[in-house]
């Protein structure tokens, strides 16, 4: 009987460069493997030592160093090392040390040579230097490769930690000595929830409870006149937002964009393994949306912000050309829009002084859904603390809203034609009034009223006291799902706009200003899709705002069969991408981007897909009608 | 379910060098003579110099008098390396019927064993793979009892061998005086599980699918490497670990 080492073979088969090798080759490798356990802290390879085996990390973590002792790379499950030595003169070029308890699979050098000889892609993989592999991916315009890079690859050193009782002066000294711009604050007396899972030789025990950055010393210590022996616990940002080491750089970037933070602790199993900051990512993604965002925060006036408009469009075009997904592009463009809004609010507060009562600036519609593109209106509102007194305070908030709204308009986000902006007194109200609005919409749903207010059912905080907005999100998610008449009214609105398909699956077109035959892809495609996804998501009690995330939430409740949801996801992605590409082409041609696509200009195969996508929308609308059969057909708009 | 009393004292350690010599003198079957005559490392040998072999068997049940072996896996190793290329794995035709219950455990089915050789045909190679080595198992009672029974059936003599039991080593660590009393248990302190998979987790070893004799042998070998580095040392004398 063939000796099977299934565990070893299957594991190898999941990681490059083994993932593309044939089964029998994998079997052979598994047969020849040797296994060894290295306790955390063990030097696995030392410089210039003789080496005759490829090393494969089965579990744990290994640091790879340069000759001068600098950290070169941090490896985890499925990574290989030692190959540069094998390719050279069988001497170790990069020393390696286990930083967690690590299980290593050793593959004989003779077998390694055979694999290089017989499998071209294996040879390509092991011969390419890590960095140049990445560079090639970027230069080929394959941003999607970059989007797959894991955050842990950006980490250059372990986080520097201090216990929360440390004084700020001591902390500042530590940062200077270690030349870092941020510290992780730990509570040495707090236990991990599951101490078994924490590596035994962990150098810094205790739980991460906060971080402090250079900026905190300025804004929270010096500006407040605190003394040097204040404990760091008094000035740290508690419970920091983190990313997992396995998250992609793209996800880390989105997290920074969304939360406007520049330092992000990276954790595995809740244990901080490093800290990345904005510049780490910018090094990987110059010209990127993040670079743009950091530029936004450095601008000092509306005029300066306005000068970034070409960069916004260039970023959009680049992402479209790099074949980023609609979800990625929508998130990045929304992040940019949020950053403009946040910066304008900072500038407004600088000018007007601190707000008289707490407030939240709320994004509505596509920005709240993280689905913004380049042609976009501003839809926003202000939620004020209930201590708000119009006579005393409204002047401040009107001025604030005006500065932001005019600023956004200058930066390419045109005024909302329906007047849904914080400058409108109706949409600049204390929380109690907002609660009343939502209760009214939900309890007494009038389709006409909902038609104008359904934009409020995509809502998210952009700046200020986000709790004020979260309360409204909670209220909506909680109350909508149990209110059938409200959902039915919303469903009815979602059926107002039909896909542009004729009886024989021909396109039904409209005329644009220049009398060309066009289809408005937003009005007839993506908007009705997001409308109907919103109805189902609210019916499921979901708090998700993004349409793709709403589809995930719907899937979790089994409201619709998985295949139907898959088709909806595909249709939304495809329609959005056609819209995105159309706008990118407009921008490159020096025209104002719009949503009007001329089917004549679309290749035949894509035209077929477009019809397919509209058909999915049409079927989904039929399902919606079936779900809410008692739509009040007599009342018309 | 496996029932055992791991808190029981290890008992006086046998001097395996003497024991194997004594059995070599009395044994009549050539295969067993060869095994015993090869002897094993002496009790004062540091663990890093001891040739080891991880051993695991899957059976039709837990009673060695009624049940039989269906598969056996061995992988030789030392504290540095586990050598997969010298691994041994064989499915054997059991002398008793397969129970449905055991099939769900090790997933070896009737059709698998139809083609399989009987234990007689395999025993010779198993003994050779064990010769001169210290066996490493997770829960020694099973492997000792079933191999003894198989040897008695096929070679007509009793059989025993020196082992290091990774479960027993975990029991020493977690079930000694440190074991929580009833009061601590009342307040929620759990007893550490010393099952193979749970023990591995404590050393950061990855989860492997259980109940494949060769995978379990590999998993046991990795566990001993980890236990040694964390709680003993490569120079620990063999007699402190064997039984």
């Amino acid at each position: 009987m063939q000796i099977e080492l299934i565990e070893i073979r299957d594991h190898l088969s999941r990681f490059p460069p083994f993932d593309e090798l044939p089964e029998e080759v994998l079997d052979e490798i598994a047969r020849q493997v040797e296994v060894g356990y290295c306790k955390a802290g063990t030097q696995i390879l030392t410089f210039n030592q003789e080496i005759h085996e490829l090393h494969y990390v089965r579990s744990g973590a290994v640091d790879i160093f340069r000759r001068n002792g600098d950290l070169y790379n941090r490896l985890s499950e499925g990574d290989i090392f030692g190959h540069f030595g094998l390719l050279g003169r069988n001497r170790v070029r990069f020393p390696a040390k286990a930083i967690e308890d690590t299980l290593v699979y050793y593959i004989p050098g003779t077998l390694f040579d055979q694999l290089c000889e017989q499998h071209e892609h294996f040879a390509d993989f092991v011969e390419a230097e890590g960095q140049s592999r990445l560079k090639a991916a970027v230069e080929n315009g394959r941003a999607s490769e970059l989007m797959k890079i894991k955050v842990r690859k950006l980490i250059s050193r372990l986080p520097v930690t201090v216990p929360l009782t440390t004084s700020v002066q001591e902390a500042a000294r530590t940062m200077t000595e270690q030349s870092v711009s941020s510290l992780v604050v730990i509570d040495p007396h707090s236990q991990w929830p599951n101490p078994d899972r924490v590596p035994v030789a962990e150098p810094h025990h205790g739980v991460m409870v906060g971080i402090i950055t250079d900026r905190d010393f300025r804004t929270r210590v010096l500006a407040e006149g605190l003394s040097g022996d204040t404990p760091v616990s008094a000035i740290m940002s508690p419970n920091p937002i983190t990313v997992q080491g396995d998250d992609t750089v793209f996800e880390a970037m989105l997290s920074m964009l969304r939360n406007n933070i520049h330092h992000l602790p990276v954790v595995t199993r809740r244990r901080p393994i490093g800290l990345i900051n904005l510049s780490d990512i910018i090094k990987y993604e110059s010209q990127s949306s993040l670079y743009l965002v950091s530029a936004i925060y450095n601008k000092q006036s509306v005029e300066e912000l306005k000068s970034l408009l070409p960069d916004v469009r260039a970023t959009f075009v680049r992402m479209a050309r790099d074949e980023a997904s609609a979800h990625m592009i929508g998130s990045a463009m929304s992040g940019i829009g949020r950053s403009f809004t946040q910066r304008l609010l900072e500038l407004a507060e600088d000018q007007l002084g601190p707000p008289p009562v707490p407030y939240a600036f709320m994004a509505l519609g596509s920005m709240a859904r993280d689905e913004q593109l380049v042609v976009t209106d501003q839809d926003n509102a202000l939620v004020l603390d209930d201590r708000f007194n119009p006579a005393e305070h409204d002047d401040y908030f009107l001025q604030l809203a005006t500065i932001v709204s005019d600023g956004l308009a200058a930066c390419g986000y045109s005024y909302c034609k329906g007047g849904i902006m914080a400058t409108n007194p109706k949409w600049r109200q204390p929380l109690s009034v907002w609660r009343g609005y939502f209760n009214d919409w939900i309890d007494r749903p009038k389709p006409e009223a909902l038609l104008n207010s359904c934009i409020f059912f995509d809502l998210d905080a952009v700046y200020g006291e986000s709790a004020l907005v979260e309360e409204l999100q909670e209220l909506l998610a909680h109350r909508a799902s149990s209110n059938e008449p409200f959902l039915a009214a919303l469903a009815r609105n979602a059926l107002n706009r039909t896909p542009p398909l004729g009886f024989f699956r021909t396109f039904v077109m409209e005329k644009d200003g220049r009398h060309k035959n066009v289809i408005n892809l937003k009005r007839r495609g993506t908007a009705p899709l997001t409308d109907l996804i919103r109805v189902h998501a609210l019916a499921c009690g979901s708090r998700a705002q993004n349409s793709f995330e709403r589809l995930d939430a719907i899937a979790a409740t089994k409201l619709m069969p998985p295949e139907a949801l898959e088709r909806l996801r595909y249709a939304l992605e495809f329609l959005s991408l056609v819209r995105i590409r159309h706008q990118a082409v407009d921008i490159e041609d020096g025209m104002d981007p719009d949503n009007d696509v001329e089917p004549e200009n679309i290749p035949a195969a894509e035209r077929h897909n477009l019809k397919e996508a509209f058909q999915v929308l049409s079927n989904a609308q039929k399902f919606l009608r079936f779900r809410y059969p008692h739509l009040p057909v007599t009342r018309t708009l | 379910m496996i029932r055992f009393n791991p808190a029981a004292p290890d008992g006086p350690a046998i001097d395996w060098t003497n024991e194997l010599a004594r059995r070599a003198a009395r044994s009549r079957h050539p295969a067993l003579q060869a095994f015993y005559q090869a002897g094993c490392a002496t009790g004062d040998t540091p663990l890093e110099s001891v040739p080891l072999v991880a051993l695991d068997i899957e059976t039709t049940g837990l009673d060695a008098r009624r049940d039989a072996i269906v598969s056996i896996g061995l992988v030789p190793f030392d504290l540095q390396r586990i050598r997969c290329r010298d691994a041994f794995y064989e499915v054997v035709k059991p002398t008793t019927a397969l129970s449905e219950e055991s099939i769900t455990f090790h997933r070896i089915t009737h059709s698998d064993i139809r083609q399989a050789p009987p234990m007689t045909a395999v025993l010779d190679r198993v003994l050779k793979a064990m010769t001169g080595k210290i066996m490493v198992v997770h829960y020694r009672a099973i492997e000792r009892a079933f191999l003894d029974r198989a040897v008695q059936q096929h070679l007509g003599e009793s059989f025993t061998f020196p082992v290091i039991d990774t479960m027993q080593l975990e029991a020493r660590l977690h079930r000694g005086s440190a074991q929580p009393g009833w009061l601590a248990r009342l307040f929620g302190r759990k007893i550490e599980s010393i099952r193979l998979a749970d023990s591995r987790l404590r050393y950061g070893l990855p989860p492997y699918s259980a109940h494949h004799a060769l995978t379990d042998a590999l998993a046991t070998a990795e566990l001993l490497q980890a236990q040694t580095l964390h709680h003993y040392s490569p120079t620990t004398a063999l007699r402190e670990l064997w039984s």
Side-chain angles (χ1 to χ4, degrees):
Chain A
M1 173 176 272
Q2 185 78 288
I3 290 186
E4 282 184 303
L5 282 151
I6 313 156
E7 281 293 340
I8 298 178
R9 186 201 58 201
D10 286 357
H11 198 268
L12 290 167
S13 74
R14 285 169 34 215
F15 294 89
F18 304 98
D19 53 353
E20 289 182 37
L21 295 174
E23 284 286 310
E24 62 276 15
V25 176
L26 287 170
D27 283 340
E28 182 55 29
I29 301 173
R31 268 194 293 276
Q32 295 207 30
V33 155
E34 293 195 358
V35 183
Y37 182 87
C38 306
K39 202 174 150 187
T42 311
Q43 192 76 35
I44 303 175
L45 294 175
T46 50
F47 180 72
N48 217 26
Q49 163 198 348
E50 240 184 87
I51 181 169
H52 295 286
E53 289 164 311
L54 178 66
H55 294 52
Y56 175 92
V57 183
R58 173 57 176 83
S59 64
V62 174
D63 273 357
I64 305 294
F65 297 91
R66 293 183 193 282
R67 264 172 94 163
N68 65 11
D70 284 354
L71 184 64
Y72 171 70
N73 205 352
R74 174 161 294 177
L75 307 182
S76 60
E77 184 175 355
D79 287 327
I80 53 170
F81 61 102
H83 44 294
F84 293 123
L86 292 179
L87 291 166
R89 28 175 213 106
N90 290 105
R91 297 275 174 188
V92 169
R93 278 177 53 196
F94 298 99
K97 187 176 183 177
I99 54 163
E100 286 177 11
D101 292 336
T102 297
L103 192 65
V104 178
Y105 290 167
Y106 302 89
I107 298 164
T110 46
L111 181 56
F112 173 82
D113 293 342
Q114 262 177 44
L115 292 171
C116 287
E117 242 167 67
Q118 291 164 8
H119 302 277
E120 193 182 355
H121 108 277
F122 187 95
D124 287 350
F125 184 92
V126 297
E127 281 162 15
E129 180 83 9
Q131 298 298 322
S132 66
R133 209 149 51 212
L134 184 63
K135 199 155 155 261
V138 178
E139 281 168 1
N140 291 340
R142 290 173 57 204
S144 40
E145 283 292 316
L146 185 71
M147 305 296 180
K148 285 182 204 147
I149 305 247
K150 296 199 186 315
V151 170
R152 67 166 84 239
K153 302 271 181 193
L154 296 193
I155 298 172
S156 46
R157 61 182 294 175
L158 279 172
V160 180
T161 62
V162 291
L164 42 68
T165 47
T166 311
S167 71
V168 289
Q169 186 178 11
E170 186 57 42
R173 196 178 301 139
T174 306
M175 288 168 77
T176 310
E177 280 166 7
Q178 306 264 353
S179 58
V180 289
S181 62
S182 54
L183 287 179
V184 167
V185 181
I186 54 157
D187 180 355
H189 300 297
S190 177
Q191 277 294 311
W192 287 95
N194 187 357
D196 278 2
R197 302 294 301 268
V198 179
V200 186
E202 182 50 45
H204 34 85
H205 293 286
V207 175
M208 172 168 63
V209 289
I211 64 168
I212 48 175
T213 68
D214 274 350
R215 191 185 163 134
D216 295 326
F217 288 96
R218 170 159 50 88
T219 59
R220 295 183 185 165
V221 182
L222 287 174
E224 300 287 325
L226 294 183
S227 86
D229 46 10
T230 310
V232 286
S233 57
I235 65 146
M236 69 184 184
S237 306
N239 307 317
I241 293 163
T242 60
V243 283
Q244 294 287 326
D246 282 341
D247 286 345
T248 61
V249 171
F250 179 74
E251 284 165 308
M253 186 173 106
L254 280 189
S255 180
M256 287 183 173
L257 279 171
R258 270 193 78 79
N259 302 298
N260 183 26
I261 49 175
H262 293 177
H263 295 83
L264 207 49
V266 183
V267 297
T268 56
R269 296 193 218 122
R270 304 188 52 190
R271 193 174 49 86
I273 55 168
L275 230 145
I276 56 168
N277 58 40
L278 196 56
S279 57
D280 292 327
I281 294 187
I282 289 174
K283 268 186 233 152
Y284 272 74
E285 260 268 85
S286 57
Q287 281 305 307
S288 77
S289 44
L290 251 199
Y291 175 77
L292 183 59
V293 164
S294 98
I296 290 171
Y297 285 103
N298 291 326
K299 299 299 178 207
Q300 299 303 324
S301 67
V302 173
E303 274 310 302
E304 287 183 35
L305 284 172
K306 197 180 155 186
S307 70
L308 292 172
L309 191 54
D311 294 338
V312 175
R313 298 200 154 179
T315 298
F316 174 79
V317 170
R318 191 184 64 88
M319 289 187 83
R321 225 195 278 130
D322 287 351
E323 296 182 342
S325 71
H327 190 171
M328 281 174 176
I329 295 175
S331 303
M333 296 312 286
S334 302
I336 290 167
R338 281 166 198 272
S339 304
F340 272 112
T341 314
Q342 287 165 353
R343 185 61 189 146
L344 285 164
L345 281 157
E346 286 175 2
L347 291 173
E349 283 191 11
D350 284 350
Q351 193 182 323
L352 302 173
V357 295
Y359 73 94
F361 196 90
M362 175 160 78
L364 303 163
S366 63
M367 189 192 279
R369 289 200 313 272
D370 272 341
E371 290 168 20
Q372 217 162 33
L373 301 184
V374 280
V375 194
T376 186
D377 287 1
Q378 45 173 300
D379 302 298
N380 50 52
L382 274 174
V383 187
L384 309 165
D385 187 275
D386 278 339
R387 281 167 286 180
F388 172 74
N389 170 351
E392 275 179 67
H393 306 138
D394 195 47
D395 190 42
Y396 177 93
F397 289 109
L398 173 60
Q399 288 191 55
L400 182 94
T402 309
I403 293 172
V404 175
S405 186
D406 291 350
L408 283 174
C411 295
Y413 301 85
S414 44
Y415 294 110
C416 172
K417 289 169 206 78
I420 297 175
M421 290 182 291
T423 47
N424 183 339
K426 194 175 177 196
W427 310 129
R428 191 173 68 244
Q429 293 291 344
L431 180 61
S432 54
V433 175
W434 276 107
R435 271 205 218 100
Y437 288 166
F438 275 90
N439 285 330
D440 193 49
W441 287 323
I442 297 169
D443 293 340
R444 282 175 288 281
K446 295 183 283 290
E448 308 87 89
L450 283 191
L451 192 61
N452 299 319
S453 41
C454 90
I455 192 159
F456 291 97
F457 306 137
D458 302 329
L459 70 164
D460 203 12
V462 173
Y463 188 85
E465 290 294 318
S466 51
L468 295 169
V469 178
E470 280 161 24
E471 197 163 318
L472 296 177
Q473 290 177 329
E474 192 57 53
L475 183 151
L476 176 65
H478 186 69
R479 300 209 44 208
S481 60
S482 55
N483 194 317
E484 201 70 7
F486 168 72
L487 292 170
L490 215 54
R492 184 182 166 188
N493 282 343
L495 298 171
N496 277 338
R497 293 178 285 196
T498 50
L501 281 185
F503 190 72
F504 295 105
R505 295 227 324 163
T506 50
F507 286 122
V508 174
M509 285 176 287
E510 14 200 357
K511 300 274 188 214
D512 74 351
R514 283 156 292 173
H515 303 289
K516 282 195 201 139
N517 284 325
V518 296
I519 293 172
N520 186 310
L521 271 186
K522 183 183 177 190
R523 198 161 53 225
R524 310 298 296 270
T526 53
L529 254 179
T530 47
D531 282 351
L532 78 90
I533 291 169
R534 184 189 303 112
V535 178
H536 291 312
L538 287 175
C540 296
S542 163
R543 284 189 50 169
Q545 304 289 322
N546 179 268
S547 297
F548 293 103
E549 283 161 21
R550 281 174 167 165
L551 286 170
D552 293 340
I554 299 166
T557 65
K558 311 212 164 49
L559 178 105
M560 292 170 84
E563 314 83 61
L565 286 166
E566 254 336 283
R567 281 195 290 272
L568 277 180
R569 196 184 300 276
Y570 171 77
L572 182 61
E573 176 73 24
F574 183 76
L575 290 171
S576 307
L577 279 179
V578 175
R579 242 182 102 191
I580 287 164
R581 271 184 239 142
H582 170 76
Q583 295 184 346
V585 170
D586 279 352
I587 292 170
E588 285 184 301
D589 291 350
M591 288 159 39
D592 268 343
D594 61 23
N595 291 308
D596 293 333
V597 174
E598 297 168 59
E600 276 173 40
N601 294 345
I602 295 178
E606 213 155 281
R607 239 178 359 234
H608 175 78
N609 290 339
L610 202 54
K611 282 183 186 170
E612 247 352 286
F614 285 132
Q615 193 60 50
V616 170
L617 169 59
S618 178
N619 294 342
Q621 289 189 331
K622 281 185 198 130
F623 176 76
L624 194 66
R625 208 180 293 276
F626 162 79
R627 278 266 303 165
Y628 298 96
H630 302 301
L631 296 179
V633 278
T634 47
R635 241 188 299 170
T636 49
L637 294 173
Chain B
M1 286 311 297
I2 300 175
R3 296 195 189 281
F4 54 89
N5 184 7
D10 291 354
I14 303 171
D15 184 336
W16 281 101
T17 320
N18 288 342
E19 176 66 19
L20 295 187
R22 204 171 59 80
R23 283 182 173 252
R26 289 201 317 200
S27 167
R28 281 179 306 275
H29 196 284
L32 286 175
Q33 271 177 356
F35 175 82
Y36 291 132
Q37 274 164 7
C40 69
T42 58
D44 52 7
T45 315
L47 195 57
E48 59 190 347
S49 320
V50 176
L52 304 164
V53 61
L55 164 65
D56 187 78
I57 58 175
E58 294 295 321
T59 58
T60 57
L62 293 176
D63 185 346
R65 285 164 305 178
R66 283 200 323 245
D67 299 309
I69 297 173
V70 282
S71 67
I72 182 160
L74 290 127
V75 56
F77 74 111
D78 56 34
L79 286 188
Q80 283 77 45
R81 297 300 179 85
I82 301 161
R83 290 180 293 280
C84 298
R85 82 173 64 83
D86 300 323
F88 172 92
Y89 175 70
E90 199 76 73
V91 172
V92 293
K93 192 176 289 180
T95 47
T96 59
L98 279 182
S99 72
E100 293 303 320
E101 196 190 350
S102 74
I103 293 173
T104 60
F105 256 99
H106 43 61
R107 296 192 206 93
I108 293 169
T109 61
H110 296 96
S111 66
D112 290 326
I113 55 169
R114 200 163 300 135
Q115 307 293 325
M119 192 64 191
T120 349
V122 176
L123 203 50
D124 223 31
R125 282 184 295 148
V126 171
L127 286 173
K128 279 213 178 69
M130 294 169 70
T131 299
K133 308 258 173 43
I134 300 293
M135 273 45 79
V136 178
V137 300
H138 197 77
Y139 190 39
R140 62 185 185 271
I142 291 284
E143 273 74 13
R144 275 241 179 89
F146 275 88
L147 283 172
D148 181 27
R149 177 84 182 145
V151 169
Q152 282 196 30
Q153 274 181 344
H154 299 292
L155 309 182
E157 285 183 42
S158 81
F159 179 52
T160 190
F161 48 89
V163 300
I164 294 174
D165 182 350
T166 51
M167 182 189 262
Q168 185 192 13
L169 299 188
E170 277 308 277
R172 281 187 200 170
L173 292 164
H174 298 288
R175 301 279 169 88
S177 53
Q179 186 179 8
W182 66 270
L183 193 63
R185 264 190 255 176
L186 189 65
F187 286 105
R189 242 187 84 197
K190 285 207 206 83
I191 312 174
E192 292 286 345
S193 164
I194 51 175
R195 290 174 54 237
L196 181 56
D198 296 320
S199 301
R200 285 170 59 83
L201 209 56
R202 280 192 284 275
Y203 299 91
L205 286 165
Y208 283 172
S209 55
H211 302 298
H212 180 284
L214 186 54
T215 305
D216 280 354
L218 175 66
T220 305
E222 290 171 2
L223 178 60
L224 183 70
Q225 288 186 335
Q227 286 172 325
T228 309
L229 290 177
H230 279 278
H231 301 298
Y232 299 93
S233 107
T235 54
T236 302
L238 176 58
R239 77 163 55 82
E240 288 180 36
L241 303 175
W242 74 12
S243 52

